[in-house]
Amino acid sequence: MDETKYHEGDVVTINNIDWTIDSISMRFGRIMTYGLEYKKENGEREHVNIETGSLETLIKIGEDE
């Protein structure tokens, strides 16, 4: 797999929520996707998969606010 900007275990903030990068995978042989996870106050875990461009856009939007 090519070198990635983010690594498993990194924490990224989206909409004031700290998500941990749980997994990194390649889809369709060319699209890098990140599996993100965060733990709610009640202990439940939320998961989402997102491709690189969308992840970077959401992080940038949060930084600009």
Side-chain angles (χ1 to χ4, degrees):
M1 187 179 316
D2 294 334
E3 182 63 27
T4 61
K5 182 173 182 177
Y6 305 102
H7 302 92
E8 287 183 26
D10 285 354
V11 175
V12 296
T13 302
I14 301 171
N15 294 336
N16 297 317
I17 297 172
D18 290 334
W19 293 82
T20 302
I21 297 177
D22 187 48
S23 64
I24 302 170
S25 60
M26 185 73 71
R27 303 275 189 216
F28 309 111
R30 62 186 174 106
I31 300 171
M32 187 75 61
T33 61
Y34 294 89
L36 306 178
E37 174 185 84
Y38 85 93
K39 188 175 180 180
K40 295 180 179 182
E41 290 180 18
N42 66 6
E44 291 181 27
R45 296 185 183 273
E46 290 288 329
H47 299 271
V48 67
N49 287 312
I50 188 168
E51 60 88 21
T52 304
S54 297
L55 175 62
E56 291 175 345
T57 298
L58 289 172
I59 291 170
K60 176 136 180 49
I61 288 169
E63 291 173 348
D64 291 345
E65 292 180 349

